[in-house]
Amino acid sequence: MTFEDAIKSLGAEFGVDLEPEGGAVSFAIAGDDGDSVDIVVREAEDRESADISADLGELPAAGGDALLLEMLEANHLFGGTGGAALSVDGTRAKLERRVPLTELGRGEGSRVLAPFLATAGRWRGIIAGETGERD
């Protein structure tokens, strides 16, 4: 399966027209909390996988060290990330995951994106300071 095939299948599954450009596609999708999550899907170097990234928002100026430690602990054996990894890009937090293209295509992309979006929504709340729950 090609990256383009997987993205077209993903778009069809969610009822949106997704056209990859330069080996990537960006779109917004509603998470469990009803807020939209910005997602970028890029073709991985192996050309058999895709990297999914969600922008979780700006890191807070105060209390950042405790939050970063919490993010690092959540990454341990993916215990608090649902198989994805938390990272920092400049001053923005990201949730990222690599998946085989076959998991995004063939009408099965929601099985990957639904839990990913739920995890992204939870961590967006934590990063924004809206929730104290970090388990």
Side-chain angles (χ1 to χ4, degrees), residues 86-134:
L86 292 161
S87 65
V88 175
D89 183 12
T91 60
R92 305 214 45 98
K94 306 279 184 169
L95 181 69
E96 300 171 316
R97 182 169 180 205
R98 179 167 284 179
V99 297
L101 291 177
T102 55
E103 288 187 28
L104 290 181
R106 299 187 182 129
E108 298 188 18
S110 63
R111 294 170 76 186
V112 171
L113 282 185
F116 183 82
L117 289 171
T119 301
R122 187 168 60 84
W123 276 97
R124 270 193 324 183
I126 292 168
I127 289 164
E130 297 168 359
T131 177
E133 291 186 38
R134 294 185 169 137

Side-chain angles (χ1 to χ4, degrees), residues 1 3 43-50 99-103:
M1 170 169 288
F3 178 74
E43 184 175 25
E45 290 179 17
D46 67 7
R47 301 183 59 103
E48 295 178 11
S49 304
V99 297
L101 291 177
T102 55
E103 288 187 28

